Amino acid sequence: MASAKHCALRYLLICIPTLALALDNSSQRASSSISPPTRSAYAPRSALSEGYYNPLSNGGSMLTIVDGTFPPGQGEPLNIIISGNSDEAVLKDQETDGGLRNYWLSFDYAGECLGQHAGSEQAANLGDGNGVLNETDEIRYDYNDPQLGTCTETIQGGGHFRYWSQNGPGANSGAVFMASSYELPLTDGHDIVSNGYNLGRDWIIGNITQTNILTFNLTNSSTYSGTTSYGGYTYSTSVKYVSGLLNNTSVGINHNLTVMTSTSNATDGLVAVLEVKITEKPANSAVFLIPFFGWQLPPLLPLLFVTVLPLFSL
Ligand SMILES: *[C@@H]1O[C@H](CO)[C@@H](O)[C@H](O)[C@H]1NC(C)=O
Ligand SMILES: *[C@@H]1O[C@H](CO)[C@@H](O)[C@H](O)[C@H]1NC(C)=O
Ligand SMILES: *[C@@H]1O[C@H](CO)[C@@H](O)[C@H](O)[C@H]1NC(C)=O
Ligand SMILES: *[C@@H]1O[C@H](CO)[C@@H](O)[C@H](O)[C@H]1NC(C)=O
Ligand SMILES: *[C@@H]1O[C@H](CO)[C@@H](O)[C@H](O)[C@H]1NC(C)=O
Ligand SMILES: *[C@@H]1O[C@H](CO)[C@@H](O)[C@H](O)[C@H]1NC(C)=O
Ligand SMILES: *[C@@H]1O[C@H](CO)[C@@H](O)[C@H](O)[C@H]1NC(C)=O
Ligand SMILES: *[C@@H]1O[C@H](CO)[C@@H](O)[C@H](O)[C@H]1NC(C)=O
Ligand SMILES: *[C@@H]1O[C@H](CO)[C@@H](O)[C@H](O)[C@H]1NC(C)=O
C-alpha cells in the first residue's frame, strides 16, 4: 500500500493500472479470509454490520482501568465509538491525509497543551487480543485555537477524551473507542462535573452535528448527523445511540458519587456510535506535489554545478 501511495503522489497517471491491481488484491484478501475457520477472528471489516466488536464478548470491558480509585476498581465509560465502517483514512491515527487527528480538529479537539500530558494514564482492554493497553493519547477541547487552546482546557477544564483502537488480532474492527467526559478546572483536581460522562459525550456529538442534544431524552433509537471540516477535508458523520454495551448505572463508575444526579446515573448506558465518511478532500493535495518534485528538482541540478563545482576546480 505504501508503494501505491508513493505512486499516487508522484506519478499519478502512470501508476493507475498498478493502483487498481493493488485494490483488487486487497479485496481478494478480504474475501478469502472468511473461509478458513482459523482466521475467522480476522474477519474483514465489511462483515461487521455494527463496525465494532463488543469488548465484553472476549474478556474486555467497556470501562477503562484507572489507578488509585476509591473504592478500587472503578472505571470510566467508553461512551463513543468511531465505527470500523468509517472511511479507512479517518481511522488512521494521524493528522495528514484527513486522518483521525484532522477529524478531531474539525470539531475543535486537539492534542494536549504543548505536548505535555496533564491527565493520569488510563488503560483499557477492548477484547481484541491486545490485552490491557494504556490510552493512545488524551485529546482536549481546543476553544477554537488548535495551537494553544488545549492549554486553556487543561487549566479551565472542559471536554476531553482518551482513546484506543480495536485493532488486535482477535477482533480487528479498526474501530476507535473513546472515553469522553467534561472535567472541572485544574484547581479542582480535574474531577468530572455533575453528569459529566453523559454530557461530555453529548457535547462532542452536539459539536459534530451542530445540534443541541437533550441528554435526558436520548434513547437507543436516537440518531443525528452533521458535517465538519478542517484542513480542506469535510467529514460527514452519522451518529446512532446504542444500548447494551454499557449498563445504565452508577455502580463501578469513577467519581460516581459526584457525577450521578437525582435523575441520571453516572452513565446512562448509551454509547454514541459514529460512522464517518470523507466527502471532500483538498482539490490539489496530490497534484500539488508533482510540480514540487517533478519540476523544481531539475532546475536545482544546474544550480548545484554552478555553486559546488568551482570549489573543486580551485
Ligand atoms: C497481486 O497478487 C498477485 C498474486 O496473487 C501478485 O502476483 C501481484 O504482484 C499482486 N499485485 C499487486 C499490485 O500487489
Ligand atoms: C502505562 O502507564 C503507566 C502510568 O500510568 C506506566 O507506569 C506504564 O509504564 C505504562 N505502560 C506502558 C506499556 O507504556
Ligand atoms: C460544544 O462543545 C462545548 C464545549 O464542550 C460545549 O460547551 C457546547 O455546549 C457544545 N455545543 C453543542 C451544540 O453541544
Ligand atoms: C424531553 O424530556 C422532557 C422530560 O421527560 C419532556 O418534557 C420534553 O418534552 C422532551 N423534549 C423533547 C424535545 O422530546
Ligand atoms: C432499546 O432499549 C429497550 C429497553 O429500553 C430494549 O427493550 C430494546 O431491545 C433496545 N433496542 C435495541 C435495538 O437495542
Ligand atoms: C452490566 O451488569 C451486569 C450485571 O451486573 C454485568 O454482568 C455486566 O458485565 C455489566 N455490563 C457492562 C457492560 O458492564
Ligand atoms: C441507576 O441504575 C440503577 C441500577 O444500577 C437503577 O436501578 C436506577 O433506576 C438507575 N437510576 C436512574 C436515575 O437512572
Ligand atoms: C459507586 O461504585 C461503587 C463500586 O465501584 C459502589 O460500591 C457504589 O455503590 C457506587 N455508588 C452508587 C451510588 O451507585
Ligand atoms: C436508565 O434507567 C432509568 C431507570 O430505569 C430510566 O428512567 C432511564 O430512562 C434509563 N436511561 C436510558 C438512557 O435508558
Side-chain angles (χ1 to χ4, degrees), residues 67-147:
D67 274 345
T69 63
F70 183 80
Q74 290 184 324
E76 304 195 353
L78 290 159
N79 51 14
I80 300 180
I81 296 175
I82 302 180
S83 152
N85 293 334
S86 301
D87 279 351
E88 196 147 5
V90 181
L91 300 170
K92 278 209 182 124
D93 189 14
Q94 58 184 26
E95 196 175 321
T96 51
D97 297 333
L100 204 46
R101 286 167 185 267
N102 193 68
Y103 175 57
W104 288 331
L105 285 164
S106 79
F107 51 92
D108 294 328
Y109 275 73
E112 288 195 275
C113 169
L114 303 171
Q116 300 296 301
H117 187 43
S120 53
E121 295 272 332
Q122 294 188 14
N125 181 352
L126 299 185
D128 61 358
N130 277 342
V132 174
L133 290 183
N134 280 349
E135 67 205 37
T136 311
D137 203 355
E138 191 168 350
I139 304 291
R140 296 171 183 276
Y141 182 56
D142 71 12
Y143 290 87
N144 215 348
D145 173 358
Q147 268 72 48

Side-chain angles (χ1 to χ4, degrees), residues 251-269:
V251 175
I253 307 297
N254 198 20
H255 309 292
N256 59 2
L257 295 181
T258 51
V259 172
M260 63 186 285
T261 71
S262 59
T263 50
S264 178
N265 273 320
T267 169
D268 60 12

